[in-house]
Amino acid sequence: MKISTGNAGAAAASPAVAPAEAIAEYASAAAAAGGSSAGAELQSAVLQPAITALRAMPDIDHERVAMLRSALAKGELPFDPAKIAGLIHRFHGSDA
């Protein structure tokens, strides 16, 4: 998911991959490694509706982002930097 910071001049460090493309990539790689064409067909039939639904969704819900930014700016949304730092630290580990 891409979130615009409003700074149009800033370049992203790495290209973002939309969820639908990531799932399609994973499904094709899994099908190629699966060996069984029946299994690949079943997997494709199961994943196809999800992939179609994901492709129909926008990458960013701009209304939701605007609402959250506004609530944060007004102080209506609690912001605990220590909690966020702890969650980032827990997610990425303590390799520093």
Side-chain angles (χ1 to χ4, degrees), residues 44-69:
S44 177
V46 171
L47 285 178
Q48 198 58 41
I51 292 170
T52 302
L54 280 172
R55 285 189 176 137
M57 294 174 63
D59 286 340
I60 304 169
D61 184 348
H62 292 282
E63 288 181 31
R64 176 98 170 130
V65 170
M67 181 190 72
L68 290 170
R69 282 185 178 165

Side-chain angles (χ1 to χ4, degrees), residues 11-54:
S14 64
V17 176
E21 281 74 28
I23 290 174
E25 243 179 70
Y26 176 77
S28 63
S36 167
S37 68
E41 289 174 18
L42 176 63
Q43 184 177 14
S44 177
V46 171
L47 285 178
Q48 198 58 41
I51 292 170
T52 302
L54 280 172

Side-chain angles (χ1 to χ4, degrees), residues 65-91:
V65 170
M67 181 190 72
L68 290 170
R69 282 185 178 165
S70 174
L72 189 59
K74 293 176 187 174
E76 298 169 351
L77 186 65
F79 179 75
D80 185 354
K83 183 175 182 178
I84 291 174
L87 291 170
I88 292 170
H89 182 51
R90 187 176 77 186
F91 180 80

